[in-house]
């Protein structure tokens, strides 16, 4: 007994340390790459506006039109405010103490932690189904997936939906439980899938359909057609009760069901194809391998699980409805990997069962020993490859970097403390600029950080009208401009800064290309105040010194955004 207790405690500690890899990885990716792109903008801007301006009760339309971003840049179809409202509600207490980029990081961290919780909840069900070893491999495989960890905190509609679909698919995993418990889990899963599809992403209806058909075909002893219909209707009622009143309020149209509008526009009207089309085999041959990331998951572990007679019943229950979803969705011409992200935890679970089978037998034969070593090596390689991809991805946000450099430049050179106007072109706005990064009017309370007491009123312009941009008088109002092409800015301007962005991968040899010191390279600055760039500089220096003998892969960059300042005299740009 005295010997067994420490072993049990050590196993629990190991399980806990592995489990926290998921939230830690998500938060690491968020810290290193805190900026966002245009695909994430609606939900992020909406969350900002709710936190900043609240929900007006009187003169609703005039107040929303005056302050809310979605009415200025409305997009092709309306989108739901259910996700942004939930993010704003959870983030609100912390947001009172933060501003700017820190507030944006807080909002994204809330979403990332929610998705991490859902992944770990799925992991716990895997543990009950196939044991702790399978659960631990599930965590290792998930945490080593670049796309999952990088996007888990990003405010795409798919990743608002992802957490809920993961909880639903958790309840649909096979389990050794009583019929009444199994029935309750199935009903809950169908309700969650229905509500999630109604609110966030219409393609989840197809995922719901494949699982419903499978339950009817093979699980009729647990759940009847009547109970399936009732669960679906409950989910439909919950979803519509959330989205219709809220989104009708924000879009001034009643009744409004945004996902129905999006489905009609993209699928029924065929407008999704305007964004590009892919062959039917794209998901199978490209998207799924990229999402699973570790090649041994889909080349060894998944086939191994399928081949084992003892695992086959559970594997069949998991794979058939989820692969059917991918197969049927492959008929839709426009394809993106994020449309099938919902099935990844289920596929990884099956792969983790095969990995556990190999790992538990690693001392029995040479074949299992070699396979176990390959699993460890491929997992470490996946983490390493993910970090390289993270280094590449963090250079994809020149717009946000340019705006940040502009703030530092203006403060360093003792610029005007009155009204400062800046124009931001399309590329700038698409590559990281959000309302969180725009400095609000001076606040006497000093809650807004660096410019709270600077008496600077920043005014931002995002005009896109081609005719307006060709008029010289338009440019007279601005003090600065952030532009991809200098020649598009009319008048007398000087380039005071250039921000580079990703342009490929460069191999850095020993002794070459040491990183430029980041903007907060003051050696007296305590580590808890370091910027993400400073942390990455520290990591790269250490890795090159102790691990790679000076070799490194680094994103190759080229000029993307120019920071221009108006001249009172000089040559025209």
């Amino acid at each position: 007994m005295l010997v067994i207790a420490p072993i049990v405690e050590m196993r629990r500690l190991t399980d806990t340390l592995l489990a926290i890899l998921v939230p830690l990885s998500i938060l690491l990716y968020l810290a290193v790459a805190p900026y966002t792109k245009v695909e994430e903008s609606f939900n992020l801007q909406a969350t900002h506006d709710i936190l900043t301006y609240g929900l007006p009760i009187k003169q609703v339309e005039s107040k929303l039109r005056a302050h809310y971003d979605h009415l200025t840049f409305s997009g092709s179809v309306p989108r739901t405010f259910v996700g942004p409202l939930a993010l704003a509600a959870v983030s609100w207490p912390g947001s009172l103490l933060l501003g700017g980029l820190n507030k944006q990081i807080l909002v994204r961290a809330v979403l990332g932690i929610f998705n991490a919780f859902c992944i770990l909840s799925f992991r716990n069900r895997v543990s009950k189904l196939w044991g702790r070893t399978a659960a631990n491999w599930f965590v290792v495989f998930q945490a080593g997936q670049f796309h999952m960890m990088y996007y888990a905190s990003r405010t795409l509609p798919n990743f608002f939906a992802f957490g809920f679909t993961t909880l639903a698919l958790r309840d649909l995993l096979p389990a050794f439980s009583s019929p009444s418990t199994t029935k309750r889990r199935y009903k809950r899963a169908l309700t969650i899938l229905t509500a999630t599809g109604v609110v966030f992403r219409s393609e989840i209806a197809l995922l719901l359909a494949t699982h419903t058909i499978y339950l009817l075909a093979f699980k009729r002893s647990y759940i009847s057609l009547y109970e399936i219909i009732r669960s679906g209707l409950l989910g439909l009622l919950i979803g519509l009760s959330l989205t219709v009143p809220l989104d009708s309020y924000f879009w001034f149209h009643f009744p409004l069901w945004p996902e129905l509008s999006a489905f009609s526009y993209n699928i029924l009207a065929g407008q999704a194809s305007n964004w590009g089309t892919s062959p039917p085999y794209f998901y199978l041959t490209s998207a799924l391998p990229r999402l699973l990331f570790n090649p041994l998951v889909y080349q060894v572990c998944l086939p191994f699980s399928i081949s084992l007679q003892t695992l086959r019943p559970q594997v069949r229950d998991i794979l058939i409805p989820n692969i059917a979803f991918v197969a049927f969705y492959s008929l839709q011409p426009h394809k993106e990997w994020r449309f099938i992200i919902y099935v990844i935890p289920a596929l990884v679970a099956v792969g983790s069962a095969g990995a556990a089978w190999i790992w538990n037998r690693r001392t029995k034969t040479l074949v299992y020993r070699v396979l176990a070593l390959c699993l460890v090596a491929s997992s470490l390689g996946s983490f390493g490859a993910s970090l390289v991809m993270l280094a590449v991805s963090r250079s994809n946000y020149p717009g946000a970097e340019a705006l940040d450099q502009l703030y530092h430049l203006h403060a360093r050179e003792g610029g005007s403390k009155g009204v400062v106007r800046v124009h931001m072109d399309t590329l700038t706005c698409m590559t990281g600029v959000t309302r969180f990064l725009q400095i609000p009017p001076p606040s006497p309370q000093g809650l807004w950080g660096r410019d709270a007491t600077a008496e600077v009123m920043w005014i931002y312009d995002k005009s896109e009208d081609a005719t307006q941009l060709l008029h010289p008088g338009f440019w007279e109002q601005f003090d600065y401009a952030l532009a991809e092409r200098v020649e598009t800015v009319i008048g007398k301007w000087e380039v005071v800064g250039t921000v580079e962005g990703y342009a490929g991968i460069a191999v850095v040899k020993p002794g070459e290309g040491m990183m430029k010191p980041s903007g907060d390279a003051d050696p007296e600055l305590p580590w808890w105040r370091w910027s993400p760039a400073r942390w990455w500089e520290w990591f790269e220096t250490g890795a090159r010194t102790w691990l790679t003998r000076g070799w490194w892969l680094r994103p190759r960059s080229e000029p993307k955004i120019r920071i221009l300042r108006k001249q009172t005299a000089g040559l025209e740009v």
Side-chain angles (χ1 to χ4, degrees):
M1 190 69 177
L2 294 176
V3 177
I4 294 175
I7 295 176
V8 172
E9 291 301 319
M10 182 60 67
R11 287 180 175 176
R12 288 177 180 171
L13 177 62
T14 302
D15 295 349
T16 301
L17 291 176
L18 287 174
I20 63 175
L21 274 176
V22 172
L24 286 181
S25 296
I26 291 173
L27 294 177
L28 170 66
Y29 283 50
L30 167 59
V32 173
Y35 299 124
T36 60
K37 278 197 170 181
V38 65
E39 297 87 351
E40 309 155 55
S41 64
F42 170 78
N43 287 305
L44 197 64
Q45 307 284 50
T47 305
H48 168 275
D49 293 343
I50 293 171
L51 285 171
T52 304
Y53 305 112
L55 305 179
I57 300 175
K58 299 179 180 180
Q59 299 176 328
V60 173
E61 183 169 353
S62 62
K63 290 182 179 178
L64 291 184
R65 288 193 183 280
H67 298 296
Y68 272 63
D69 182 80
H70 72 287
L71 297 172
T72 305
F73 302 95
S74 57
S76 303
V77 292
R79 286 297 183 186
T80 183
F81 272 79
V82 173
L85 182 61
L87 273 189
V90 178
S91 306
W92 177 75
S95 71
L96 296 176
L97 304 175
L98 300 172
L101 180 60
N102 290 330
K103 185 184 287 190
Q104 177 171 302
I105 290 173
L106 171 66
V107 167
R108 286 186 51 197
V110 169
L111 179 60
I113 293 299
F114 168 71
N115 282 326
F117 166 80
C118 296
I119 291 172
L120 293 180
S121 180
F122 196 100
R123 175 252 179 223
N124 293 339
R125 189 59 56 85
V126 171
S127 180
K128 292 181 181 178
L129 178 60
W130 286 316
R132 58 178 294 272
T133 304
N136 288 338
W137 277 111
F138 173 82
V139 166
V140 170
F141 290 154
Q142 286 280 187
Q145 291 172 348
F146 169 76
H147 289 84
M148 185 68 75
M149 298 297 101
Y150 187 77
Y151 283 90
S153 68
R154 297 189 171 272
T155 53
L156 291 163
N158 310 79
F159 282 90
F160 280 97
F162 172 78
F164 294 105
T165 60
T166 301
L167 294 177
L169 296 187
R170 173 206 63 184
D171 281 340
L172 290 170
L173 287 177
F176 304 106
S177 56
S178 65
S180 61
T181 301
T182 301
K183 176 187 292 188
R184 185 167 61 250
R185 289 194 296 105
Y186 287 167
K187 290 165 64 176
R188 183 170 60 210
L190 297 178
T191 300
I192 293 173
L193 283 177
T194 305
T196 305
V198 167
V199 174
F200 292 113
R201 292 295 305 182
S202 59
E203 71 262 16
I204 295 172
L206 181 58
L207 183 64
L208 171 67
T210 58
H211 279 278
T212 299
I213 292 170
Y214 190 83
L215 290 176
L216 284 173
F218 298 101
K219 304 293 180 180
R220 288 292 291 273
S221 60
Y222 292 105
I223 187 168
S224 66
L225 176 61
Y226 168 75
E227 289 165 327
I228 288 174
I229 293 173
R230 192 171 67 174
S231 299
L233 289 176
L234 177 59
L236 178 65
L237 177 62
I238 293 172
L240 291 178
S241 299
L242 288 172
T243 188
V244 172
L246 183 66
D247 294 312
S248 299
Y249 165 88
F250 278 106
W251 293 98
F252 316 133
H253 175 73
F254 183 86
L256 176 65
W257 180 2
E259 269 312 295
L260 180 61
S261 300
F263 177 80
S264 175
Y265 179 83
N266 290 316
I267 306 301
L268 299 182
Q271 296 298 315
S273 297
N274 295 337
W275 299 99
T277 59
S278 301
Y281 51 80
F282 169 79
Y283 286 138
L284 181 63
T285 61
S286 179
L288 283 178
R290 277 191 292 148
L291 292 172
L292 294 171
F293 204 68
N294 187 330
L296 261 63
V297 173
Y298 55 89
Q299 293 179 359
V300 175
C301 297
L302 271 167
F304 206 90
S305 296
I306 295 170
S307 68
L308 293 171
Q309 186 69 33
T310 55
L311 297 179
R312 194 169 297 162
Q314 295 95 345
V315 168
R316 180 193 62 202
D317 289 347
I318 297 171
L319 286 186
I320 289 178
N322 288 297
I323 294 298
F325 163 73
V326 176
F328 283 119
Y329 206 62
S330 296
L331 301 177
Q332 170 65 19
H334 176 61
K335 299 176 180 67
E336 296 184 37
W337 62 262
R338 58 191 175 95
F339 295 163
I340 61 166
I341 191 68
Y342 320 110
V343 305
I344 295 303
L347 300 185
V348 172
V350 174
S352 69
W357 185 278
I358 293 169
W359 187 257
N360 289 335
R361 288 158 179 79
R362 67 189 183 280
T363 60
K364 294 186 176 181
T365 68
L366 179 61
V367 173
Y368 281 125
R369 189 176 300 118
V370 170
L371 287 175
L373 289 174
C374 289
L375 280 175
V376 173
S378 66
S379 298
L380 293 175
S382 295
F383 280 101
S386 294
L387 290 176
V388 171
M389 293 180 69
L390 176 60
V392 171
S393 299
R394 68 181 296 271
S395 64
N396 275 326
Y397 307 94
E401 298 283 357
L403 186 59
D404 186 61
Q405 284 193 24
L406 173 60
Y407 292 149
H408 283 92
L409 176 71
H410 185 79
R412 186 169 61 248
E413 297 187 356
S416 167
K417 293 187 180 297
V419 176
V420 178
R421 293 179 170 85
V422 55
H423 170 78
M424 302 178 292
D425 73 353
T426 300
L427 182 63
T428 302
C429 295
M430 291 179 65
T431 55
V433 170
T434 67
R435 286 192 161 194
F436 281 105
L437 305 186
Q438 297 178 190
I439 297 176
S443 169
Q445 286 77 22
L447 293 177
W448 295 102
R450 60 188 173 204
D451 282 277
T453 60
E455 298 180 0
V456 177
M457 173 76 76
W458 288 87
I459 296 179
Y460 306 86
D461 177 77
K462 304 177 184 179
S463 300
E464 300 176 305
D465 184 82
T467 303
Q468 189 179 35
L469 294 175
L470 291 174
H471 196 285
F474 169 77
W475 296 97
E476 291 297 321
Q477 61 184 304
F478 300 115
D479 302 287
Y480 296 99
L482 305 179
E484 178 183 10
R485 296 167 54 201
V486 174
E487 61 270 21
T488 62
V489 182
I490 301 173
K492 296 179 179 180
W493 299 79
E494 62 175 328
V495 178
V496 294
T498 300
V499 176
E500 297 186 339
Y502 176 68
I505 296 293
V507 178
V508 184
K509 297 179 181 180
E512 295 180 356
M514 296 306 293
M515 288 192 71
K516 298 177 182 179
S518 58
D520 60 349
D522 179 3
E524 302 295 327
L525 193 69
W527 62 267
W528 62 83
R529 294 182 58 191
W530 287 2
S531 68
R534 179 75 177 274
W535 276 108
W536 184 259
E537 176 189 335
W538 173 84
F539 169 78
E540 179 178 322
T541 302
R544 292 184 67 182
T545 301
W546 301 104
L547 297 178
T548 66
R549 298 185 177 181
W551 291 90
W552 198 250
L553 292 176
R554 185 182 294 164
R556 182 167 52 85
S557 60
E558 64 183 17
K560 293 290 185 179
I561 306 293
R562 278 77 177 179
I563 305 172
L564 297 102
R565 179 172 55 199
K566 182 186 290 184
Q567 290 182 321
T568 55
L571 297 176
E572 283 197 3
V573 174

mmCIF file of all heavy atoms in Angstrom, residues 185 292 383 395 415 460 549:
data_model
loop_
_atom_site.group_PDB
_atom_site.id
_atom_site.type_symbol
_atom_site.label_atom_id
_atom_site.label_comp_id
_atom_site.label_asym_id
_atom_site.label_seq_id
_atom_site.Cartn_x
_atom_site.Cartn_y
_atom_site.Cartn_z
ATOM 1 N N ARG A 185 -27.522 11.329 -22.485
ATOM 2 C CA ARG A 185 -26.387 11.935 -23.178
ATOM 3 C C ARG A 185 -26.708 12.160 -24.658
ATOM 4 O O ARG A 185 -26.368 13.207 -25.212
ATOM 5 C CB ARG A 185 -25.151 11.043 -23.046
ATOM 6 C CG ARG A 185 -24.550 11.025 -21.653
ATOM 7 C CD ARG A 185 -23.155 10.406 -21.644
ATOM 8 N NE ARG A 185 -23.174 8.998 -22.025
ATOM 9 C CZ ARG A 185 -22.770 8.543 -23.209
ATOM 10 N NH1 ARG A 185 -22.339 9.385 -24.119
ATOM 11 N NH2 ARG A 185 -22.815 7.249 -23.474
ATOM 12 N N LEU A 292 -4.917 17.357 -38.471
ATOM 13 C CA LEU A 292 -4.401 16.341 -37.554
ATOM 14 C C LEU A 292 -2.912 16.556 -37.275
ATOM 15 O O LEU A 292 -2.422 16.202 -36.220
ATOM 16 C CB LEU A 292 -4.651 14.951 -38.135
ATOM 17 C CG LEU A 292 -6.128 14.561 -38.236
ATOM 18 C CD1 LEU A 292 -6.298 13.267 -39.024
ATOM 19 C CD2 LEU A 292 -6.758 14.418 -36.855
ATOM 20 N N PHE A 383 5.271 19.535 -32.063
ATOM 21 C CA PHE A 383 5.372 20.744 -31.235
ATOM 22 C C PHE A 383 6.395 21.713 -31.821
ATOM 23 O O PHE A 383 6.170 22.923 -31.868
ATOM 24 C CB PHE A 383 5.752 20.373 -29.803
ATOM 25 C CG PHE A 383 4.604 19.888 -28.977
ATOM 26 C CD1 PHE A 383 4.401 18.540 -28.746
ATOM 27 C CD2 PHE A 383 3.697 20.789 -28.429
ATOM 28 C CE1 PHE A 383 3.340 18.089 -27.984
ATOM 29 C CE2 PHE A 383 2.624 20.358 -27.658
ATOM 30 C CZ PHE A 383 2.447 18.998 -27.443
ATOM 31 N N SER A 395 4.071 37.172 -38.085
ATOM 32 C CA SER A 395 4.505 38.257 -38.965
ATOM 33 C C SER A 395 3.464 38.596 -40.024
ATOM 34 O O SER A 395 3.748 39.306 -40.973
ATOM 35 C CB SER A 395 5.821 37.876 -39.648
ATOM 36 O OG SER A 395 5.654 36.751 -40.489
ATOM 37 N N GLY A 415 4.959 64.716 -30.796
ATOM 38 C CA GLY A 415 3.967 65.197 -31.751
ATOM 39 C C GLY A 415 2.856 65.992 -31.088
ATOM 40 O O GLY A 415 2.814 66.189 -29.866
ATOM 41 N N TYR A 460 -9.554 58.194 -36.527
ATOM 42 C CA TYR A 460 -9.147 57.174 -37.486
ATOM 43 C C TYR A 460 -10.090 57.167 -38.677
ATOM 44 O O TYR A 460 -11.315 57.260 -38.526
ATOM 45 C CB TYR A 460 -9.152 55.791 -36.824
ATOM 46 C CG TYR A 460 -8.321 55.731 -35.558
ATOM 47 C CD1 TYR A 460 -8.874 56.088 -34.323
ATOM 48 C CD2 TYR A 460 -6.994 55.316 -35.597
ATOM 49 C CE1 TYR A 460 -8.113 56.034 -33.161
ATOM 50 C CE2 TYR A 460 -6.230 55.264 -34.436
ATOM 51 C CZ TYR A 460 -6.792 55.627 -33.227
ATOM 52 O OH TYR A 460 -6.039 55.581 -32.084
ATOM 53 N N ARG A 549 22.402 24.844 -32.433
ATOM 54 C CA ARG A 549 23.769 25.261 -32.760
ATOM 55 C C ARG A 549 23.795 26.448 -33.727
ATOM 56 O O ARG A 549 24.623 26.534 -34.618
ATOM 57 C CB ARG A 549 24.564 24.092 -33.349
ATOM 58 C CG ARG A 549 24.721 22.928 -32.382
ATOM 59 C CD ARG A 549 25.606 21.853 -32.945
ATOM 60 N NE ARG A 549 25.796 20.772 -31.984
ATOM 61 C CZ ARG A 549 26.562 19.680 -32.214
ATOM 62 N NH1 ARG A 549 27.215 19.584 -33.361
ATOM 63 N NH2 ARG A 549 26.665 18.744 -31.304
#
